[in-house]
């Protein structure tokens, strides 16, 4: 069974940066598309970014383009989300997830991390 363990969340002021990490074990990491999702109180879980098996293709939602960067290191079985210029509206629980196919819907992902809280103060 694939296990995903996230870290790196915390409290920052608007304009600050965080880097989230997600370490995978129990599967063939390089065979999975990896994605990041987030969920704020009272809202649906929403797509943030995804990266292909090789890392050659990435996608992100419009509201984070130019601010967030997804990357992966298959040798370390780890996916990252570098978040710069954070804004209060980025406040949410952030989840990493693994899928066999590219998707922007959480329904397309088979494995999920436990989530890590990101809070951005104004």
């Amino acid at each position: 069974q694939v296990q995903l363990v996230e870290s790196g969340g915390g409290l920052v002021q608007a304009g600050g940066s965080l880097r989230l990490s997600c370490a995978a074990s129990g599967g063939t990491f390089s065979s999975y598309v990896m994605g990041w999702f987030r969920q704020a109180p009272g809202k649906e879980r929403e797509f943030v970014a995804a990266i292909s098996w090789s890392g050659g293709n990435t996608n992100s939602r419009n509201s984070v383009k130019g601010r967030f960067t997804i990357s992966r290191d298959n040798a370390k079985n780890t996916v990252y989300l570098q978040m710069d210029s954070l804004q209060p509206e980025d406040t949410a629980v952030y989840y990493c997830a693994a899928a066999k196919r590219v998707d922007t819907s959480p329904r397309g992902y088979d494995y999920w991390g436990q989530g890590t809280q990101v809070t951005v103060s104004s």
Side-chain angles (χ1 to χ4, degrees):
Q1 183 177 348
V2 174
Q3 303 285 329
L4 304 175
V5 180
E6 303 171 19
S7 61
L11 173 64
V12 298
Q13 293 185 333
S17 297
L18 287 172
R19 188 176 75 159
L20 306 183
S21 299
C22 178
S25 63
T28 305
F29 178 76
S30 61
S31 70
Y32 288 94
V33 172
M34 299 298 298
W36 287 95
F37 291 78
R38 66 188 183 186
Q39 188 166 19
K43 295 186 177 181
E44 296 291 323
R45 188 169 299 187
E46 67 181 16
F47 172 77
V48 177
I51 187 166
S52 64
W53 305 270
S54 67
N57 293 303
T58 63
N59 190 27
S60 61
R61 69 182 300 110
N62 288 336
S63 62
V64 307
K65 284 180 175 169
R67 300 189 298 121
F68 292 9
T69 303
I70 188 170
S71 62
R72 69 190 296 164
D73 187 337
N74 288 344
K76 296 181 178 179
N77 289 350
T78 301
V79 62
Y80 305 95
L81 185 68
Q82 177 67 43
M83 304 186 295
D84 298 323
S85 301
L86 283 161
Q87 300 298 313
E89 54 264 37
D90 297 315
T91 295
V93 177
Y94 283 70
Y95 300 88
C96 68
K100 287 294 188 180
R101 300 177 182 272
V102 174
D103 207 340
T104 58
S105 170
R107 296 187 300 274
Y109 289 77
D110 300 310
Y111 303 100
W112 293 86
Q114 79 286 353
T116 184
Q117 178 71 49
V118 172
T119 302
V120 185
S121 62
S122 60

